[in-house]
C-alpha cells in the first residue's frame, strides 16, 4: 500500500507540473459552459445570454433544426437508447443500414460504413488498407486524426508541403517502388479555410497511378453545387477513391463519422477496422439526426446557398473594413492578426460585446500567424453578420489591429 501510495503521490506531482507547464506556455484551453442549445444565439453559464455564436461547425444550422430533433426523438422511442453492442455482434439495426445507404447515395459511392466519430474513421482506415509494401503521402497540415491514423499503419510514410503540388509530385516519383500509393488530404483545412487543390492532386494521382483519400469534415453538406463536398466543387467526384467525413458538424452535429467508397473496401473495413470492430454502435437518436439532415440536404440546396451568401457578406465586409481573411469562399473565416496576445485580447473583448469567437495561436497554428477564427452558419441573420463585423471593427481599432 505504501509503495502504491508513493507512486500515486509521484504521479500527482508529475501531472501537476505538466499542467503548470501548459499554463506557463500560455496554451491552456478553457471551456466555456453553454446552457442552451447549439445555435447562433447562446446562453452561457454565469449569466451571459443572447451571445452571438461564431465558433461552431454548425455550418447549416441543423444542430437544433426542429425536424432533426423530432427525427432523433422518434428514433429514440422506436429503437431505444442504444445497442449495448458492437455492430457485428448484436449492434446493427435497420436504421444503421439505411443511413449507410443514404450516405453512399449522397456521395455517389458504392457503399458506406459508420463509426462513432470521424476521428475513429481516420484511425481505422489506414491500418486496415495499407501494408509495409504500400506508401501514404499526407499533406503536412492534415487534421490530427489523419496523422494519428497514419501513425497506426505500417505503410511507408511521406509528408508533402501544404498544398504544394511540386512537392507532392516529387514524393509521388520517389514512391514508385511501393505497391500502392495513397494521397491523403483534408478537403478543406479547418485552421485556414483553404481548399485542397483536388483537381491537381487527382491529375498527379492519375499520372503516377496513386489513389486519393479526402477528409471532408469541413466540406460535406455545403461545398459544391449540391453540397456533396470538395470533390463536387472541383469536378472530381469520379477521381477521389475514398471519403471520410463526420456527422458531427454540418450534418446535424450530433456525432458519428463514416467512410464511403468502393464496396470491397467497405467490406474489408467491417472485417478489419479496429475502431469499428471494438466500439459500440451509433445510438439510434444520433442516427436519426444524421439521416434527417441528409434528407433535408437532398431535398433542396437552399440552406447551403444561404450559408454561402452569408459567408460572402462577412468576408467582403471584413475585407472592406481592412482585415485580412484567410482562405476563399469557405465559412471558416480566419481573421489574421499575427500576434498571439492580440488575438487573445481581441477575442476576449469581442465576448465583452456579446460575440463569441476564439483566438488561435502557436502551437495550434504556426508562430506569428495567430488569428481569430470566425465560422459562419446558415442560421446567422444578415444583422448577426453585420453586428459581428461592427464589433470586430471597434475592437480592431481599439487594439491597433486597424488604423
Ligand atoms: N477530421 C477533421 C478535418 C476535423 O476537423 C475533425 C473534427 O474536428 C475530425 C476529423 C474528427 O471528427 P469527429 O468530431 O467526427 O471525430
Amino acid at each position: 500500500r505504501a509503495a502504491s501510495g508513493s507512486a500515486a503521490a509521484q504521479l500527482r506531482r508529475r501531472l501537476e507540473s505538466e499542467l503548470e507547464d501548459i499554463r506557463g506556455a500560455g496554451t491552456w484551453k478553457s471551456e466555456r459552459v453553454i446552457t442552451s442549445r447549439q445555435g447562433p444565439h447562446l446562453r452561457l453559464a454565469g449569466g451571459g445570454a443572447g451571445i452571438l455564436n461564431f465558433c461552431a461547425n454548425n455550418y447549416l444550422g441543423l444542430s437544433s433544426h426542429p425536424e432533426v430533433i423530432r427525427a432523433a426523438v422518434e428514433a429514440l422511442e422506436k429503437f431505444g437508447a442504444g445497442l449495448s453492442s458492437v455492430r457485428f455482434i448484436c449492434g446493427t439495426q435497420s436504421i444503421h443500414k439505411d443511413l449507410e445507404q443514404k450516405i453512399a447515395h449522397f456521395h455517389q459511392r458504392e457503399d458506406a460504413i459508420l463509426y462513432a466519430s470521424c476521428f475513429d474513421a481516420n484511425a481505422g482506415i489506414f491500418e486496415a488498407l495499407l501494408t509495409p509494401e504500400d506508401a501514404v503521402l499526407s499533406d503536412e497540415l492534415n487534421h490530427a486524426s489523419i496523422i494519428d491514423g497514419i501513425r497506426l499503419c505500417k505503410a511507408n510514410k511521406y509528408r508533402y508541403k501544404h498544398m504544394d503540388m511540386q512537392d507532392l509530385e516529387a514524393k509521388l516519383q520517389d514512391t514508385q517502388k511501393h505497391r500502392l500509393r495513397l494521397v491523403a488530404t483534408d478537403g478543406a483545412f479547418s485552421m485556414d479555410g483553404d481548399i485542397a487543390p483536388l483537381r491537381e492532386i487527382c491529375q498527379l494521382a492519375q499520372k503516377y497511378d496513386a489513389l486519393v483519400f479526402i477528409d471532408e469534415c469541413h466540406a460535406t453538406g455545403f461545398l459544391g453545387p449540391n453540397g456533396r463536398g470538395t470533390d463536387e466543387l472541383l469536378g472530381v467526384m469520379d477521381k477521389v477513391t475514398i471519403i471520410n467525413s463526420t456527422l458531427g458538424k454540418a450534418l446535424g452535429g450530433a456525432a458519428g463519422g463514416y467512410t464511403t467508397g468502393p464496396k470491397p473496401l467497405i467490406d474489408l473495413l467491417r472485417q478489419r477496422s479496429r475502431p469499428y470492430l471494438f466500439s459500440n454502435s451509433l445510438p439510434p437518436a444520433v442516427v436519426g439526426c444524421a439521416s434527417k439532415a441528409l434528407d433535408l440536404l437532398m431535398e433542396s440546396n437552399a440552406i447551403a446557398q444561404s450559408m454561402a451568401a452569408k459567408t460572402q457578406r462577412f468576408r467582403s465586409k471584413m475585407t472592406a473594413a481592412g482585415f485580412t481573411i484567410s482562405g476563399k469562399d469557405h465559412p471558416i473565416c480566419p481573421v489574421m492578426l499575427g500576434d498571439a496576445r492580440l488575438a487573445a485580447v481581441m477575442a476576449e473583448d469581442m465576448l465583452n460585446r456579446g460575440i463569441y469567437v476564439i483566438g488561435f495561436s502557436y502551437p495550434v497554428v504556426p508562430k506569428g500567424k495567430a488569428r481569430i477564427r470566425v465560422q459562419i452558419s446558415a442560421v446567422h441573420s444578415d444583422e448577426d453578420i453585420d453586428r459581428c463585423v461592427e464589433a470586430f471593427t471597434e475592437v480592431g481599432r481599439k487594439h491597433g489591429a486597424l488604423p
Side-chain angles (χ1 to χ4, degrees), residues 57 116-122 142-146 186-190 215-218 244-249 255-258 373:
N57 303 304
S117 67
C118 185
F119 203 108
D120 277 356
N122 286 342
N142 275 342
H143 188 259
S145 54
I146 300 179
D186 279 7
F189 290 83
S190 63
D215 175 323
E216 287 283 86
C217 284
H218 295 278
N244 276 7
S245 193
T246 185
L247 305 172
K249 300 193 195 297
Y258 57 85
R373 186 176 71 170

Side-chain angles (χ1 to χ4, degrees), residues 318-325 335-347 349-350 370-372 389-403:
M318 284 291 281
T319 307
F323 286 104
T324 301
I325 311 297
V335 181
M336 303 306 287
L337 297 166
D339 181 65
R341 225 187 70 79
L342 179 64
V345 293
M346 276 184 63
D349 224 359
M350 289 292 283
R371 67 203 62 184
I372 292 177
V389 175
E390 278 159 29
F392 259 113
T393 309
E394 277 173 33
V395 168
R397 284 205 188 107
K398 176 174 159 194
H399 295 284
L402 288 181

Side-chain angles (χ1 to χ4, degrees), residues 80-365:
L83 273 300
S84 310
S85 177
V86 298
R87 288 285 298 274
F88 80 95
I89 298 179
C90 185
T92 299
Q93 289 172 318
S94 52
I95 46 172
H96 295 98
K97 297 309 283 181
D98 293 346
L99 179 56
E100 284 169 344
Q101 281 316 300
K102 207 176 273 188
I103 288 168
H105 175 68
F106 180 77
H107 286 285
Q108 299 175 22
R109 310 286 148 158
E110 290 172 15
D111 203 355
I113 176 174
L114 289 171
Y115 287 87
S117 67
C118 185
F119 203 108
D120 277 356
N122 286 342
I125 189 155
F126 300 101
E127 189 193 19
L129 179 63
L130 303 173
T131 73
E133 284 184 82
D134 305 316
V136 57
L137 298 86
S138 173
D139 186 294
E140 65 181 348
L141 293 192
N142 275 342
H143 188 259
S145 54
I146 300 179
I147 295 169
D148 286 7
I150 290 175
R151 272 193 199 140
L152 291 170
C153 83
K154 296 199 172 69
N156 300 276
K157 294 153 191 142
Y158 297 81
R159 220 160 43 143
Y160 63 91
K161 291 195 193 110
H162 180 48
M163 304 208 307
D164 182 329
M165 294 300 97
Q166 270 186 346
D167 196 32
L168 174 59
E169 179 153 23
K171 303 246 150 63
L172 279 165
Q173 280 164 354
D174 283 356
T175 51
Q176 288 304 292
K177 57 183 179 285
H178 300 300
R179 182 184 63 172
L180 186 150
R181 288 159 308 285
L182 181 69
V183 181
T185 181
D186 279 7
F189 290 83
S190 63
M191 280 300 139
D192 293 276
D194 51 0
I195 294 170
L198 266 194
R199 223 175 275 137
E200 292 77 4
I201 290 175
C202 289
Q203 272 164 7
L204 285 175
Q206 208 160 6
K207 182 167 168 192
Y208 293 96
D209 195 23
L211 300 174
V212 177
F213 159 97
I214 55 176
D215 175 323
E216 287 283 86
C217 284
H218 295 278
T220 301
F222 56 91
L223 284 191
N226 301 296
R228 294 323 189 246
T230 318
D231 57 341
E232 187 194 30
L233 178 74
L234 298 173
V236 289
M237 283 185 90
D238 56 341
K239 306 253 173 358
V240 170
T241 308
I242 307 164
I243 294 175
N244 276 7
S245 193
T246 185
L247 305 172
K249 300 193 195 297
L251 298 185
Y258 57 85
T259 298
T260 185
K263 181 159 181 354
L265 168 68
I266 304 302
D267 288 346
L268 182 76
L269 292 172
R270 289 193 204 283
Q271 302 305 314
R272 291 267 169 79
S273 180
R274 294 169 69 83
Y276 180 81
L277 287 169
F278 300 111
S279 187
N280 199 15
S281 308
L282 268 191
V286 167
V287 175
C289 288
S291 186
K292 177 53 75 177
L294 282 167
D295 289 344
L296 293 172
L297 292 182
M298 287 194 273
E299 273 163 29
S300 150
N301 64 2
I303 309 175
Q305 280 176 351
S306 149
M307 187 218 61
K310 282 161 191 156
T311 297
Q312 176 57 26
R313 186 181 184 95
F314 180 79
R315 282 180 170 270
S316 59
K317 288 199 165 200
M318 284 291 281
T319 307
F323 286 104
T324 301
I325 311 297
S326 164
K328 188 171 167 283
D329 298 337
H330 196 281
I332 293 172
C333 305
V335 181
M336 303 306 287
L337 297 166
D339 181 65
R341 225 187 70 79
L342 179 64
V345 293
M346 276 184 63
E348 203 52 50
D349 224 359
M350 289 292 283
L351 191 61
N352 295 336
R353 286 165 167 76
I355 314 269
Y356 186 9
V357 286
I358 297 281
F360 289 93
S361 53
Y362 182 81
V364 181
V365 295

